[in-house]
C-alpha cells in the first residue's frame, strides 16, 4: 500500500512540475528570433515554447483558427481585422511587440526621381498592404489616389499615373526576390532582413506607425491561458526591448 501511494505521489509531482507546451507560429525574422530569445525565460517559468516557422501570411492564421497553434506572432491589427472579416474568424490580439518599417527598394536606381516612364513596381497583393503601398506611392508623387487616406485603396482608385507605372501585385514572400527583377519593389522589413537587405536603403519608407505594431495573436478560448499570458509578459519585457534595440540596430523598433 505504501509503495502504491509513493508511486501515485511521484506521478502527481511529475504532473505538477511538467512544463506546459505552447506552440506559436511566426515568420522567420524578426518574429521567430524574438521568440527564441524569450524561450529560456519561459522554460524557467514552466512553459515549453515550440516555435513553428512559416514563410507566408495566411497559414499562421489558418492553423491558429484550426487550433493547431496556440498563438501566432507576425501581423498587425489592420491585417488581422481584414483576415477575421474575410475568413469569418475571431482571432484576437494579445500584446503588441514591435514596429517594422515598410519600404520600396531598387537595384537599378539610387533616387526615386530616377524612376523612368513605364517602370515596373511590385507591391503586396493582400488588400491591407496593397493600399499601404499605393498610399506611399501617392505620397511620393508617383501616382494620385482618389482618396489618399483610404488604407484599403486598390489600383482602381488611381486617378493619375503620370509615369505610366506598371504595378504588379505579388505575394509578400516574393517581394524581396523581385527587387532585382523590377525597377522598384515594396518589401516588408521582416523579409528584407531575412534577405539581407538594409532597411535604411529604402527609397520610399514608412518608418512605422502605431497602427502597424506587430501583435501576438490568440483565440478567445485561450487568450487567458497562464502559459500564453507568461509569453505575453515576456514579449513586453525590458529584456526584449533591449534585444530589439541591440540586435536590429534601429531596423525595427519596440512597439510597447
Amino acid at each position: 500500500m505504501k509503495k502504491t501511494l509513493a508511486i501515485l505521489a511521484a506521478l502527481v509531482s511529475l504532473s505538477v512540475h511538467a512544463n506546459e507546451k505552447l506552440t506559436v507560429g511566426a515568420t522567420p525574422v524578426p518574429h521567430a528570433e524574438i521568440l527564441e530569445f524569450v524561450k529560456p525565460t519561459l522554460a524557467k517559468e514552466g512553459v515549453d515554447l515550440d516555435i513553428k516557422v512559416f514563410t507566408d501570411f495566411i497559414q499562421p492564421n489558418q492553423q491558429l483558427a484550426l487550433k493547431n497553434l496556440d498563438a501566432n506572432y507576425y501581423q498587425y491589427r489592420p491585417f488581422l481585422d481584414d483576415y477575421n472579416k474575410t475568413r469569418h474568424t475571431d482571432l484576437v490580439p494579445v500584446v503588441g511587440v514591435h514596429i517594422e518599417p515598410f519600404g520600396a527598394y531598387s537595384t537599378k536606381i539610387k533616387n526615386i526621381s530616377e524612376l523612368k516612364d513605364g517602370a515596373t513596381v511590385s507591391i503586396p497583393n493582400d488588400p491591407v498592404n496593397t493600399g499601404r503601398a499605393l498610399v506611399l506611392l501617392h505620397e511620393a508623387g508617383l501616382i494620385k489616389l482618389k482618396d489618399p487616406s483610404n488604407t484599403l485603396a486598390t489600383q482602381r482608385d488611381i486617378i493619375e499615373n503620370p509615369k505610366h507605372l506598371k504595378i504588379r501585385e505579388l505575394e509578400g514572400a516574393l517581394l524581396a526576390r523581385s527587387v532585382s527583377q523590377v525597377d522598384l519593389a515594396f518589401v516588408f522589413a521582416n523579409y528584407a532582413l531575412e534577405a539581407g537587405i538594409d532597411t535604411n536603403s529604402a527609397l520610399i519608407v514608412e518608418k512605422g506607425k502605431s497602427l502597424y505594431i506587430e501583435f501576438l495573436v490568440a483565440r478567445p478560448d485561450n487568450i487567458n491561458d497562464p502559459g500564453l499570458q507568461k509569453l505575453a509578459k515576456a514579449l513586453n519585457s525590458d529584456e526584449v526591448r533591449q534585444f530589439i534595440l541591440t540586435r536590429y540596430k534601429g531596423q525595427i523598433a519596440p512597439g510597447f
Side-chain angles (χ1 to χ4, degrees):
M1 182 68 176
K2 289 183 178 180
K3 187 176 181 180
T4 302
L5 289 173
I7 293 171
L8 288 172
L11 289 173
V12 169
S13 177
L14 282 172
S15 65
V16 168
H17 293 95
N19 279 9
E20 174 185 354
K21 185 175 180 180
L22 195 66
T23 305
V24 180
T27 43
V29 182
H31 308 80
E33 292 181 346
I34 294 172
L35 289 172
E36 287 287 355
F37 175 75
V38 301
K39 192 171 182 175
T41 300
L42 290 173
K44 292 176 184 176
E45 296 181 9
V47 179
D48 179 14
L49 183 60
D50 181 21
I51 304 164
K52 301 291 185 186
V53 177
F54 294 85
T55 57
D56 73 292
F57 288 166
I58 301 301
Q59 281 297 314
N61 275 342
Q62 285 184 342
Q63 295 304 311
L64 178 57
L66 292 170
K67 299 188 177 182
N68 294 325
L69 296 174
D70 298 304
N72 66 43
Y73 169 38
Y74 77 105
Q75 65 194 312
Y76 40 74
R77 282 296 297 271
F79 185 89
L80 174 62
D81 292 344
D82 181 72
Y83 185 91
N84 279 331
K85 181 180 178 181
T86 58
R87 305 294 179 111
H88 308 292
T89 52
D90 56 355
L91 306 179
V92 289
V94 184
V95 290
V97 184
H98 75 273
I99 305 174
E100 299 179 5
F102 178 56
Y105 304 85
S106 179
T107 58
K108 299 180 180 178
I109 59 173
K110 295 188 180 298
N111 191 290
I112 205 66
S113 63
E114 300 170 12
L115 200 62
K116 296 179 180 178
D117 189 273
T120 301
V121 180
S122 58
I123 67 173
N125 67 352
D126 67 274
V128 171
N129 291 306
T130 294
R132 193 178 179 190
L134 292 176
V135 167
L136 287 174
L137 286 172
H138 172 95
E139 291 174 350
L142 294 171
I143 62 170
K144 186 174 181 180
L145 292 173
K146 183 166 50 180
D147 177 10
S149 67
N150 179 15
T151 56
L152 293 176
T154 70
Q155 292 196 55
R156 292 190 297 273
D157 296 307
I158 299 172
I159 54 176
E160 290 182 22
N161 184 2
K163 283 185 175 285
H164 308 100
L165 300 179
K166 298 170 185 172
I167 300 174
R168 295 173 54 193
E169 297 180 16
L170 300 176
E171 185 183 342
L174 299 177
L175 290 167
R177 299 181 212 167
S178 76
V179 172
S180 61
Q181 301 166 5
V182 299
D183 298 290
L184 189 69
F186 281 86
V187 184
F188 299 105
N190 60 318
Y191 288 127
L193 290 169
E194 189 181 354
I197 298 171
D198 180 5
T199 58
N200 293 317
S201 68
L203 302 184
I204 302 174
V205 67
E206 175 201 271
K207 276 294 185 183
K209 302 175 182 176
S210 59
L211 180 65
Y212 298 114
I213 292 173
E214 310 263 319
F215 275 84
L216 175 71
V217 172
R219 298 184 307 273
D221 66 280
N222 75 340
I223 189 172
N224 293 316
D225 283 358
L228 189 61
Q229 288 302 315
K230 288 177 182 178
L231 173 58
K233 184 179 178 181
L235 287 173
N236 275 183
S237 66
D238 289 338
E239 290 78 12
V240 165
R241 182 190 302 276
Q242 193 56 49
F243 175 77
I244 289 172
L245 293 172
T246 304
R247 175 66 174 264
Y248 303 105
K249 297 178 172 60
Q251 291 187 296
I252 68 170
F256 59 94

